[in-house]
Amino acid sequence: EQKLRPGGHAAVGETSQVMFLDEGRKWIRDDKLAVAKAGPTAETGVNDPSGATPELGKVLLDFKINSAVEQIRQLSKPQ
């Protein structure tokens, strides 16, 4: 069980998912993560990503993918 704060753009959830997908560490700028911890500003527009991990990103992406597959299966059933 994860105790995640509500997020938004570039918060824990989004940042974790990108971290999981970004094996080469090209998309996440570690030097900007500390600045974002202050919360959204007009300059950054991002939320607090602290607590983001690639492992959490995998869990969240797996959930999204499994949910999408189940919806497709439900919609594909003959009526």
Side-chain angles (χ1 to χ4, degrees):
E1 179 181 319
Q2 299 284 331
K3 300 215 183 250
L4 301 175
R5 291 180 302 271
H9 176 62
V12 174
E14 285 186 354
T15 303
S16 292
Q17 292 171 67
V18 174
M19 284 176 152
F20 175 71
L21 296 172
D22 184 21
E23 292 178 4
R25 301 290 288 164
K26 295 177 183 177
W27 302 332
I28 300 288
R29 294 180 56 187
D30 291 329
D31 61 318
K32 299 295 182 186
L33 289 178
V35 173
K37 288 181 184 180
T41 67
E43 183 182 328
T44 65
V46 300
N47 286 294
D48 182 0
S50 59
T53 65
E55 295 78 19
L56 177 58
K58 180 180 182 340
V59 169
L60 296 171
L61 285 169
D62 284 347
F63 176 78
K64 286 181 175 182
I65 292 166
N66 291 335
S67 293
V69 169
E70 183 57 30
Q71 287 179 347
I72 291 167
R73 286 185 178 138
Q74 292 298 320
L75 292 170
S76 300
K77 285 183 179 179
Q79 304 222 7

